Amino acid sequence: MIRMNKLSKVYRTHMIETHALRGIEIDVQPGEFVAVTGPSGSGKTTFLNIAGLLEEHTGGDYFLDGVNVTGLNDNQRSRLRNEKLGFIFQGFNLIPDLNLFDNVDVPLRYRGFNAAERRRRIEEALAQVGLSARIKHYPSELSGGQQQRVAIARALAGSPKVLLADEPTGNLDTQMARGVMELLEEINARGTTILMVTHDPELAARAARNVHIVDGLVTDFVRREAPSLVAVA
Amino acid sequence: MEVRPILSTLFRNKTAPLLIAAQVALTLAIVANSLYIIRERLASAARPTGLDEPNIGWINLSPVGEVADPKTMQEVDLNTLRAIPGVRSATWANMIPLSQSGWNSGGMSLKEGDNDSGINSAHYFSPGSLVDTFGLNLIAGRDFTADDVFDHDPEQGSALPKTVIISKALAEALLPNEADLGQLVGQQLFNATEAPVTIIGIVDRLQTPWSNEGADGEQSYILPIRYLVGSFQYAIRTEPGQLDRVMKEAADQLSTLRSDRVLNSQRTFAEIRASRYANETLMAGLLIAVTLFLLLITASGIVGLSSLWVNQRRKQIGVRRALGARRIDVIRYFLVENMLITSGGVLLGLLLTLALNQVLVRQMEVPRLPAEYVGFGMVIMWLLGVASVLGPALRAARVPPAVATRTV
Amino acid sequence: MFFYYLKLGAVNLKRNPIITALMVITLAVGVAAAMTTLTILRGMSGDPIPHKSDRLFYVQIDTGPVGRENPNGEPDAQMSYTDTMNLWRAAKAPRQTPLMGTSDTVSPERKDLQPFITTGLAVGADFFSMFDVPLLEGRFWSAEQDKAGSDVVVITRQMRDRLFGEGQSAVGKRLMLSQRELTIIGVLDTWSPLPKFYRLVGSNRYGSHEDYFLPIEYAVRVESGIEGQVSCTSRPDPGFQGFLQSDCTWLQYWVELAEAGDRQGFADYLVAYVNEQKKLDRLPRTVNNRLRDVNEWMVQQGVVDNDTVVATWLAFAFLAVCLVNTVGLLLAKFSARPGEIGVRRALGASRAEIFSQFLTEAGVVGLVGAALGILLTLAALAYVRQYARDIALLTEMDWLMLLTTVLISLVAALGAGLLPTWRACQVLPAAQLKSQ
């Protein structure tokens, strides 16, 4: 689903070159739940941005769902983001002036679905995260956990192949974080590939696969059996 | 289009959109009304006099003391003028259009004893041919001949002229709703002088010295009178392109002819026109300046507020980009948003425009604003809105999608 | 504390230079447009002689035959020679004067000066005291000289400088007017009321002033050339005498009463006069007199033209747009700094203090806008002066106008600052310090 060959990212400012990523090799299979960990400044966010087509890489190749994205123009990348990817941000990033319906609607509009199709998907996505009753509410009227659920609904509504989550529980207390995490696991169980950046080892431990980035390099990846939900609870 | 979500966003952040809409509304009201007044003024100042304007000059001398023999002096002057190369025609005249001072008569009528017809007319007279010298277009009848001309000495009270040439506007006032004005030729006109005079010709157009708006600005007649007073005012018509040189020579020669006179003024008709319409031109100029400044200020206001808006919503723009918005989608978002605000302002402005016009109509007798000026103003505001928001929108489109994952 | 805010305001002006410049320019242009038209309007409609404008009256008597009355019911704007002189010689008011425009060729004694044409005013001796005409040197003519129509003349300072050189005395010298010799007995100090309220008919109201003044009896005696409006309903008999005896109206007539309350008494006298004349087979129309004070006469004559009123309306609408624009831009400027407000609030600034700080800043914008606005107003008035000679002398901005300018822009800026400042004060200290 996500395959990177010798992928690198160099930031150039005037005279200085900063190597944020140095030859990443990774292959994520469909349906995997991958946690990306690493210390601050290791390149986690850069890795996620590139995986999410928010930034361009400077070397190597990146295949997203079989498509080589190297050299695609801005419009093509936007299109790919819209169709194949769903984002969940640490700060939720809901649009405060839109109600839940309109927030979930945002990516669907760019997709070009007709009104009926959009309505069906929005209602379905909000139902999935348990917020159907709040469809006319505004983000400021919700708790942090609920806001993140809306963000997840927004990410899911377009039926993406891959869900990219950037510290999805970073702004939440433990109780809410657990709820969000369970929701992600449920989604993954239904077949969506999830790539989650986190610095929380406990969360990472719940992913089936961990990728560790240090100093721009993938230094470690571990496979293990997914722990049962019961065991954690 | 995504009109509904944009509207809901606007309703949750009312202040800035309201300010822009209010500004658009006020600007529209002023621009539409100004444009109309500007056009009115310029149109008024552009009305033709009926004269061969580019080739006409007007020269004026005043005697220092009593004048013994004005008739001879006028003849000598005219012979001098006619001898100047490039002069096509020259004659004495009691006044000239647009000069804003002159003679006027009331109660023009085709019936004897009818003193209150309410028809006023400018009262031109000359011993020569104003048709020739002013370059008037005779549309019926004939011009005066030397036989028509009578000497008039106000100290004596002498014989009265028998013939008159009238302007088409006066003819139309005398014979309203009549297609064939030519039938007036041969008829008697009353109240131009004490005795009736026979209409012998009609000129297409001859504006009055006051050139009022409307038909009475062109109601004039010409009497064949040689006025025997010490007043020396001559109209000169030259061959094309000779006017400036001729005027200079005319002034020189008339000044040196005798020493008991003072050259009062020498003006080309273009100068007379500029002076007559100085206020109209000034008003139009001020209004144009105000309109341009206003558009500039409104544009700057929209640019300022839109830029602020873009800055405030950088994060949101990044999120939209991350969720799949193309650059064009971002630009379109801001354009549509601006169109909505501008349209709101334009609708409000429509009411304001009509209200302002109502005030102007009621208080200053300004004519009612025609619909096309309102429409033109609306189009201007829409274009202004789009043009002003384009810059900030393009800046918004350059916000990178990676902004979405930045924490601060 | 105020000076601290003032300093902050000045510093903050430099922070968003483009937005600040826009605000200042917007305010300046709006203020300048409003002030320019206001200056012109005020010059046109202001009371030209405030301390006695309610005691100076313009007299009108309806002259001419029955059946050709003015359709709007107004009597003639001017009066006939007969009526003017009858009223003047009767002298029923404390002061009164006829007014007759004249035009003459002046032949200077100096050989280096060419003869030139200029206009003058033939009046009664009371004219000068009635209209507060200032005297530079010499004297005005006496009541005896008035009645006798002596060959004396009072000239303006400008005319004296032109004929005899600047600062040279002219009293006692000769003046050749259309080859008639007069003695100069006085020189006026600068006197140029605009509009020329004493002579609203038959002369350019905003044009140049008359250069010389002579007794009206003299002007009539020498049959001086008339400059102004003459209206006749029938052709007068030939010659100047025929003209004087006709019902042509061409003279203006002013009276000054001791008190404004004497008006009714004088109006009654006018009615009695007209009825008297009817017995002599004159003034056949129904009695239709007018006695208007200075301001009423100016309104009746439409002294303020529509263009100026329209321009003033538009200028104030324009100012409104500029204010809305400034509100928007101030809002933009202030709301770009919620962080600063949060920090200040957290450091212990009360809402009132934040309010004072931001209002002071708005005030600084207003002051700078006012300064620029004054410069722009001066430039605009200079432009008007150049392109419309008619209203040239009107375009002097006085200190009161200046103060009004500064005040309007300050009030404008503070008003424009109120909303954004109120909004800025709503910011909760905590909300801004927390990372977003």
Side-chain angles (χ1 to χ4, degrees):
Chain A
M1 183 54 64
I2 287 178
R3 188 156 59 84
M4 294 176 177
N5 292 336
K6 295 197 179 68
L7 185 118
S8 65
K9 174 75 181 176
V10 181
Y11 291 104
R12 289 191 180 84
T13 51
H14 298 296
M15 310 297 283
I16 305 159
E17 283 194 354
T18 314
H19 294 261
L21 296 177
R22 300 186 287 188
I24 300 266
E25 294 280 350
I26 195 169
D27 192 350
V28 178
Q29 297 302 315
E32 272 193 295
F33 192 142
V34 181
V36 181
T37 56
S40 267
S42 60
K44 290 195 304 277
T45 302
T46 305
F47 170 73
L48 188 82
N49 282 351
I50 289 173
L53 302 178
L54 301 181
E55 282 181 51
E56 289 182 72
H57 53 280
T58 46
D61 281 313
Y62 170 24
F63 295 88
L64 173 63
D65 196 21
V67 180
N68 187 352
V69 303
T70 313
L72 290 186
N73 68 22
D74 191 80
N75 280 353
Q76 292 163 324
R77 296 166 67 85
S78 299
R79 189 86 206 145
L80 275 180
R81 274 202 297 275
N82 188 254
E83 284 174 5
K84 301 207 188 284
L85 303 174
F87 283 95
I88 301 162
F89 307 96
Q90 178 180 3
F92 323 140
N93 285 349
L94 297 178
I95 294 170
D97 301 322
L98 298 178
N99 62 25
L100 302 197
F101 183 95
D102 288 332
N103 259 294
V104 178
D105 193 27
V106 170
L108 303 183
R109 290 214 176 231
Y110 299 130
R111 189 74 158 267
F113 288 137
N114 64 35
E117 171 77 1
R118 295 204 314 267
R119 172 164 290 277
R120 189 184 64 74
R121 281 172 176 265
I122 294 164
E123 281 165 359
E124 193 183 300
L126 282 172
Q128 214 174 337
V129 299
L131 286 169
S132 293
R134 306 253 175 153
I135 200 156
K136 292 288 176 203
H137 286 227
Y138 285 86
S140 56
E141 297 160 359
L142 303 181
S143 72
Q146 286 170 322
Q147 289 191 40
Q148 193 60 301
R149 284 166 179 275
V150 178
I152 294 170
R154 179 175 66 184
L156 286 178
S159 335
K161 293 262 166 48
V162 182
L163 206 54
L164 297 166
D166 180 17
E167 304 272 10
T169 60
N171 282 8
L172 300 176
D173 62 33
T174 324
Q175 179 90 31
M176 289 178 176
R178 184 175 302 152
V180 166
M181 197 57 204
E182 281 165 7
L183 186 56
L184 288 179
E185 282 164 354
E186 237 178 87
I187 291 161
N188 177 244
R190 267 180 258 133
T192 309
T193 312
I194 296 183
L195 199 64
M196 175 179 76
V197 166
T198 179
H199 65 270
D200 181 349
E202 200 183 317
L203 276 188
R206 294 176 60 160
R209 178 176 170 193
N210 274 17
V211 169
H212 196 66
I213 298 181
V214 173
D215 210 9
L217 281 168
V218 176
T219 55
D220 181 20
F221 64 91
V222 187
R223 269 178 198 283
R224 61 177 114 144
E225 288 305 306
S228 76
L229 293 173
V230 184
V232 176
Chain B
M1 271 321 290
E2 43 193 335
V3 171
R4 196 187 45 77
I6 294 179
L7 268 180
S8 102
T9 305
L10 289 178
F11 275 112
R12 287 176 62 84
N13 300 276
K14 288 187 214 63
T15 320
L18 271 182
L19 283 173
I20 289 188
Q23 210 173 334
V24 166
L26 280 167
T27 308
L28 173 62
I30 298 177
V31 167
N33 280 290
S34 298
L35 278 180
Y36 185 49
I37 296 174
I38 291 168
R39 207 207 61 95
E40 283 268 298
R41 289 307 137 95
L42 294 182
S44 165
R47 288 171 303 147
T49 51
L51 274 60
D52 177 24
E53 295 189 21
N55 302 313
I56 288 176
W58 179 243
I59 193 162
N60 231 297
L61 297 97
S62 294
V64 174
E66 292 294 317
V67 175
D69 183 5
K71 184 170 181 173
T72 313
M73 273 169 80
Q74 286 179 14
E75 269 164 15
V76 172
D77 285 347
L78 283 171
N79 287 337
T80 309
L81 289 175
R82 286 171 188 145
I84 297 172
V87 171
R88 201 166 145 187
S89 172
T91 190
W92 187 98
N94 69 322
M95 58 190 190
I96 191 162
L98 307 193
S99 61
Q100 285 176 288
S101 71
W103 303 51
N104 190 43
S105 289
M108 296 297 108
S109 179
L110 296 173
K111 292 192 290 277
E112 187 159 17
D114 172 21
N115 290 332
D116 34 55
S117 67
I119 302 173
N120 288 315
S121 174
H123 177 102
Y124 285 90
F125 55 87
S126 165
S129 167
L130 287 185
V131 171
D132 269 359
T133 309
F134 281 174
L136 306 176
N137 181 17
L138 196 65
I139 55 171
R142 62 169 178 92
D143 194 4
F144 298 120
T145 63
D147 295 339
D148 290 304
V149 180
F150 282 79
D151 287 2
H152 178 72
D153 180 349
E155 295 293 320
Q156 308 290 327
S158 16
L160 297 164
K162 307 254 185 306
T163 50
V164 69
I165 292 176
I166 64 173
S167 71
K168 189 172 146 195
L170 179 56
E172 282 164 349
L174 292 168
L175 268 191
N177 309 318
E178 181 63 59
D180 177 23
L181 297 171
Q183 61 177 286
L184 278 172
V185 175
Q187 292 200 45
Q188 304 255 285
L189 179 67
F190 292 86
N191 288 336
T193 69
E194 285 80 77
V197 284
T198 306
I199 298 170
I200 60 158
I202 301 175
V203 291
D204 186 33
R205 178 180 280 129
L206 174 57
Q207 258 188 1
T208 70
W210 306 276
S211 58
N212 300 334
E213 295 284 344
D216 70 341
E218 292 184 0
Q219 290 172 10
S220 310
Y221 60 78
I222 310 168
L223 292 169
I225 293 175
R226 178 173 290 108
Y227 198 53
L228 298 178
V229 291
S231 145
F232 307 97
Q233 38 195 41
Y234 304 106
I236 304 171
R237 185 175 175 207
T238 66
E239 300 297 340
Q242 312 272 312
L243 186 62
D244 289 338
R245 181 186 54 78
V246 168
M247 285 306 283
K248 200 176 162 308
E249 278 183 40
D252 286 350
Q253 296 200 15
L254 289 186
S255 306
T256 50
L257 212 54
R258 309 176 62 107
S259 60
D260 58 352
R261 302 189 301 187
V262 184
L263 182 70
N264 208 352
S265 75
Q266 60 176 109
R267 297 199 288 172
T268 64
F269 200 83
E271 288 165 342
I272 295 175
R273 174 173 280 278
S275 143
R276 161 67 180 85
Y277 292 117
N279 284 342
E280 279 79 359
T281 317
L282 176 79
M283 179 80 175
L286 280 179
L287 284 177
I288 289 172
V290 163
T291 306
L292 287 180
F293 256 125
L294 201 57
L295 292 177
L296 211 68
I297 281 173
T298 304
S300 79
I302 298 178
V303 171
L305 282 180
S306 315
S307 302
L308 169 85
W309 231 330
V310 168
N311 286 343
Q312 281 178 339
R313 292 192 284 189
R314 270 178 72 82
K315 181 83 171 192
Q316 191 192 124
I317 296 162
V319 172
R320 284 177 181 275
R321 292 281 280 129
L323 295 179
R326 292 164 299 165
R327 288 202 171 115
I328 189 76
D329 294 321
V330 174
I331 294 174
R332 201 172 49 197
Y333 182 92
F334 281 94
L335 286 184
V336 169
E337 186 179 67
N338 177 269
M339 280 298 264
L340 288 174
I341 297 171
T342 312
S343 301
V346 162
L347 287 183
L348 188 67
L350 211 59
L351 298 178
L352 263 179
T353 306
L354 298 178
L356 180 61
N357 186 238
Q358 189 63 35
V359 171
L360 294 179
V361 167
R362 195 172 301 166
Q363 299 213 339
M364 342 281 163
E365 301 141 27
V366 171
R368 188 164 294 284
L369 190 66
E372 60 262 34
Y373 283 83
V374 184
F376 188 50
M378 288 164 73
V379 171
I380 287 185
M381 294 322 295
W382 270 309
L383 289 179
L384 186 81
V386 169
S388 311
V389 85
L390 212 54
L394 286 173
R395 207 140 14 94
R398 283 198 296 272
V399 170
V403 165
T405 53
R406 268 176 225 153
T407 35
V408 181
Chain C
M1 210 54 185
F2 175 71
F3 288 98
Y4 173 63
Y5 295 143
L6 210 61
K7 209 182 91 191
L8 279 179
V11 169
N12 276 322
L13 281 183
K14 289 188 232 151
R15 186 156 0 172
N16 316 74
I18 294 178
I19 285 196
T20 305
L22 271 179
M23 277 193 293
V24 168
I25 291 171
T26 301
L27 208 53
V29 168
V31 163
M35 290 315 295
T36 306
T37 49
L38 199 64
T39 303
I40 295 175
L41 186 72
R42 217 187 68 124
M44 283 181 165
S45 60
D47 190 338
I49 185 159
H51 60 283
K52 64 191 321 189
S53 55
D54 60 338
R55 292 190 290 122
L56 281 174
F57 293 94
Y58 186 83
V59 179
Q60 286 167 277
I61 288 177
D62 212 358
T63 324
V66 176
R68 295 186 67 178
E69 285 89 353
N70 214 334
N72 62 10
E74 271 289 309
D76 296 286
Q78 301 184 102
M79 298 217 297
S80 70
Y81 178 75
T82 313
D83 293 319
T84 309
M85 286 313 190
N86 284 344
L87 292 177
W88 186 49
R89 286 171 185 148
K92 291 291 183 199
R95 285 167 177 165
Q96 50 260 305
T97 182
L99 244 74
M100 163 190 175
T102 61
S103 168
D104 282 294
T105 314
V106 178
S107 309
E109 293 190 340
R110 278 164 57 186
K111 288 288 161 273
D112 57 325
L113 290 180
Q114 289 294 311
F116 60 92
I117 293 167
T118 188
T119 58
L121 209 54
V123 293
D126 286 345
F127 175 83
F128 304 98
S129 50
M130 286 172 74
F131 294 104
D132 288 347
V133 185
L135 190 67
L136 182 66
E137 60 165 333
R139 57 185 176 81
F140 299 120
W141 60 82
S142 65
E144 290 71 40
Q145 286 173 310
D146 212 19
K147 287 202 183 70
S150 303
D151 46 2
V152 294
V153 62
V154 172
I155 62 173
T156 58
R157 180 182 194 151
Q158 216 182 348
M159 176 92 140
R160 178 198 68 174
D161 291 350
R162 180 168 180 184
L163 290 175
F164 305 103
E166 208 163 316
Q168 299 292 312
S169 173
V171 174
K173 296 209 167 115
R174 292 186 317 149
L175 179 69
M176 294 296 292
L177 283 181
S178 299
Q179 298 198 313
R180 291 183 294 265
E181 190 180 317
L182 292 101
T183 308
I184 298 169
I185 58 164
V187 177
L188 299 190
D189 207 342
T190 310
W191 183 65
S192 48
L194 280 178
K196 285 160 67 181
F197 68 98
Y198 56 92
R199 194 183 173 202
L200 292 178
V201 177
S203 109
N204 187 341
R205 291 161 187 179
Y206 303 102
S208 53
H209 290 77
E210 295 81 8
D211 270 331
Y212 60 89
F213 297 81
L214 33 78
I216 189 163
E217 293 281 19
Y218 171 84
V220 170
R221 181 158 56 79
V222 304
E223 303 182 3
S224 182
I226 300 167
E227 171 83 16
Q229 184 179 308
V230 178
S231 308
C232 304
T233 40
S234 60
R235 179 171 284 211
D237 295 334
F240 199 74
Q241 285 309 313
F243 176 65
L244 291 183
Q245 279 146 28
S246 73
D247 275 343
C248 294
T249 57
W250 56 286
L251 287 162
Q252 300 174 37
Y253 188 67
W254 286 92
V255 297
E256 178 183 334
L257 302 182
E259 288 172 41
D262 296 345
R263 181 178 186 155
Q264 189 55 49
F266 196 82
D268 293 343
Y269 159 69
L270 281 180
V271 173
Y273 166 78
V274 172
N275 286 326
E276 194 83 6
Q277 291 293 309
K278 283 178 184 290
K279 290 178 194 155
L280 302 172
D281 265 352
R282 290 192 65 249
L283 307 179
R285 293 180 183 169
T286 323
V287 181
N288 186 21
N289 304 331
R290 294 286 187 281
L291 192 61
R292 291 187 162 110
D293 71 18
V294 171
N295 289 318
E296 291 165 356
W297 180 231
M298 281 174 49
V299 168
Q300 203 280 325
Q301 284 293 299
V303 163
V304 179
D305 73 339
N306 283 341
D307 276 2
T308 315
V309 181
V310 171
T312 310
W313 269 96
L314 287 177
F316 276 90
F318 183 67
L319 181 61
V321 175
C322 293
L323 287 185
V324 172
N325 199 47
T326 311
V327 175
L329 293 172
L330 269 176
L331 189 67
K333 194 161 158 2
F334 287 174
S335 54
R337 296 164 25 199
E340 179 194 329
I341 298 169
V343 171
R344 284 182 187 278
R345 295 273 278 134
L347 294 178
S350 70
R351 241 177 218 173
E353 278 166 324
I354 297 283
F355 209 69
S356 325
Q357 183 203 330
F358 277 69
L359 267 188
T360 311
E361 194 171 329
V364 171
V365 170
L367 276 178
V368 178
L372 201 64
I374 290 169
L375 290 180
L376 277 178
T377 307
L378 290 175
L381 290 180
Y383 172 85
V384 172
R385 221 184 322 253
Q386 200 169 358
Y387 284 89
R389 260 167 285 133
D390 281 6
I391 46 177
L393 292 163
L394 278 181
T395 50
E396 306 290 338
M397 188 167 66
D398 60 23
W399 65 270
L400 192 76
M401 280 284 136
L402 208 81
L403 201 73
T404 319
T405 309
V406 175
L407 226 81
I408 285 189
S409 55
L410 251 182
V411 168
L414 289 181
L418 269 178
L419 173 70
T421 308
W422 182 78
R423 295 266 312 240
C425 282
Q426 300 307 304
V427 174
L428 293 172
Q432 291 306 317
L433 294 182
K434 211 169 73 178
S435 110
Q436 293 172 332

